Amino acid sequence: MNDPCRATLFDLNTDHIARVDYVEMDGLFYLINFKGVGGAYPKQVFILLDGSDTPFLISLFELHGEDGAPEGSELVGRRIVPDCHENVRRDVRVPVVMDIKVSSPAFPKAKQAQMRNLSSSGLMFVSDEVYEKDAVLSLTIPITEPPIQLAAVVKNKIPIRSGMVQNTIGYGCMFAIIDQKTESKIRQFVFQQELLRRRNASYD
């Protein structure tokens, strides 16, 4: 059996469950000495692997027992397509790393967050703040002067690694109301970013 590695488990609401050891065999993740939560095993978990520079090295797994598992392991995880990540994107999103401001009725004072991608219908940002799924947020996005201000709905949440800080949360948002002029500005910015990305990729 391979030497165990370390990972962190989160539930579907991105709440921390436990630090665990695991071994990977034939595409399956065997959790070693994981006793569940209060004696109960979650059916689905996010698994964030240690020791990687990739900020999005996380997947949703379905847990179940399995005969013939390595000694000491009680659960095996199979990577699945997450139902909680329904594709709400109507347009292509491009990678854009940029500081934005986020506020909500629960947090009326704007907090800084980092946008990671953008389209004319939504974006993803990472933050240490906790926002609930379906929460309506006010976003200030400085891609124009003056910055664009939009309302957006949180559609999904994933725990991610952001730089040297672990266990921040990624929020996938869909713009709630957007006028044609603002949508055109974002679409133009996204188009320019995509052209730049492709041009840079052609030089690599």
Side-chain angles (χ1 to χ4, degrees), residues 32-80:
I32 300 173
N33 297 323
F34 174 57
K35 301 301 182 183
V37 180
Y41 297 111
K43 292 183 178 180
Q44 294 182 355
V45 295
F46 288 114
I47 298 181
L48 180 62
L49 307 183
D50 281 12
S52 174
D53 295 329
T54 304
F56 298 101
L57 190 59
I58 184 167
S59 296
L60 183 64
F61 283 79
E62 188 172 63
L63 299 182
H64 56 84
E66 182 167 290
D67 295 335
E71 183 179 355
S73 64
E74 298 183 17
L75 291 177
V76 59
R78 295 181 184 274
R79 188 178 279 110
I80 62 174

Side-chain angles (χ1 to χ4, degrees), residues 81-114:
V81 176
D83 293 336
C84 63
H85 286 187
E86 67 271 20
N87 188 1
V88 298
R89 303 177 184 179
R90 300 193 301 268
D91 300 282
V92 173
R93 293 192 185 186
V94 294
V96 180
V97 179
M98 179 183 295
D99 289 337
I100 63 173
K101 292 183 178 179
V102 181
S103 61
S104 70
F107 299 95
K109 185 176 180 180
K111 303 284 188 178
Q112 184 168 297
Q114 188 178 76

